[in-house]
Amino acid sequence: MDVEAAAGVCSDIVDRVSEAVVADRTFLETVLAGMLARGHVLVEDVPGTGKTLTAIAFADALGLEFNRIQFTPDLLPSDITGTHVYDEHEGTFRFQRGPVFANVVLADEINRAPPKTQSALLEAMDEGQVSADGETFPLPDPFFVIATQNPVEQEGTFRLPEAQRDRFVVEVSMGYPDRAGELELLERRSNRTTTKPQVDAVVDAATVSDLRAVPETVTVEPAVREYLVDLARATREDDRVAVGVSPRGIQRFYEAARARAVVAGRSYVAPDDVKAVAPVVLTHRLVLTDEASIRGIDPAAVVSAVLDTVEVPAATAD
């Protein structure tokens, strides 16, 4: 599949998801770019904005198997990955696979589970496998996690460890629809008898795998690579930042920029692609100093300042 064909498929997928989810198209394209970049997406927003529906709609449009895991304070790691159970007929133990064994996994309200349980996803997200009692079990391919967390109602929640936040290629927020969007939401609800909209598949698992291979063919000129690296390194030099973007974060930045180019229908990464994905790729990877946190500095302000100060190259497709 070439870039032009992939861009057409991506547009069809976003169109189909938009039939169920009233959200900004840029948000939906960012979620899709996270999938194309072979990464995972963290969605943070207040309740009722459509985070869960977005995950379900994408799974349906992509024709992939979907599981939802509701994170709670009493959730155990084995509730996610699975456990060995005794088979009375065979007289042996067999591995009972947990809900993480699906193509698209919704980790709903991930910050409500303790760190030990949250960390059960780390190996799955990073290696595409689960280890239990000395055995390794591969996860389905493709494998994609959409995690949600609520920025309000922080009582009884646990902040995601920085190592886990770094596993998400992008962190995005849906935001509230505008007035026209909320009227559209009511119009759609009045025209159906079910409480949840249905989304038909646009592609299947094999096509999704083909789509995820397309960003590997996208060209990134040396000047654009230098621009991307300079942006990430500049976050480490900001006095308000205690921990800047890691080398792994730079790789995810690179992969997200290529995926963004595919969604836009380009066979090369333009500086605008880098600038477009920088806020959603870099912001959640920054750890501010205590002084900056006390002063109420937003990591997004640091990324914005970096984008304003680092020189943009004049790159072309040649």
Side-chain angles (χ1 to χ4, degrees), residues 145-167:
V145 173
I146 300 179
T148 71
Q149 62 177 3
N150 186 351
V152 296
E153 299 178 7
Q154 291 300 305
E155 184 177 354
T157 64
F158 303 84
R159 177 178 171 80
L160 293 184
E162 301 305 331
Q164 186 164 359
R165 294 178 71 88
D166 201 38
R167 262 59 176 192

Side-chain angles (χ1 to χ4, degrees), residues 77-189:
S78 58
D79 294 331
I80 297 173
T81 60
T83 187
H84 282 88
V85 297
Y86 185 70
D87 189 325
E88 294 184 359
H89 297 289
E90 298 291 335
T92 58
F93 284 91
R94 61 179 177 82
F95 184 68
Q96 180 67 48
R97 300 188 174 200
V100 76
F101 284 87
N103 297 120
V104 180
V105 174
L106 171 62
D108 214 358
E109 296 188 292
I110 190 173
N111 56 333
R112 291 205 174 276
K116 182 178 181 180
T117 301
Q118 292 175 7
S119 66
L121 275 180
L122 276 176
E123 181 185 16
M125 294 171 64
D126 214 28
E127 304 294 336
Q129 64 183 29
V130 164
S131 296
D133 296 333
E135 291 187 75
T136 300
F137 304 91
L139 291 167
D141 184 32
F143 174 70
F144 178 47
V145 173
I146 300 179
T148 71
Q149 62 177 3
N150 186 351
V152 296
E153 299 178 7
Q154 291 300 305
E155 184 177 354
T157 64
F158 303 84
R159 177 178 171 80
L160 293 184
E162 301 305 331
Q164 186 164 359
R165 294 178 71 88
D166 201 38
R167 262 59 176 192
F168 292 100
V169 65
V170 296
E171 179 180 343
V172 289
S173 174
M174 292 188 70
Y176 291 115
D178 57 18
R179 184 174 183 272
E182 293 187 322
L183 286 171
E184 173 66 19
L185 186 67
L186 296 182
E187 178 67 21
R188 294 182 184 183
R189 180 64 184 89

Side-chain angles (χ1 to χ4, degrees), residues 194-226:
T194 57
T195 57
K196 290 185 179 180
Q198 303 297 312
V199 175
D200 295 328
V202 176
V203 293
D204 56 19
T207 306
V208 172
S209 295
D210 290 341
L211 276 174
R212 298 179 94 183
V214 174
E216 298 295 331
T217 68
V218 171
T219 301
V220 187
E221 292 296 322
V224 178
R225 295 186 187 190
E226 292 174 8

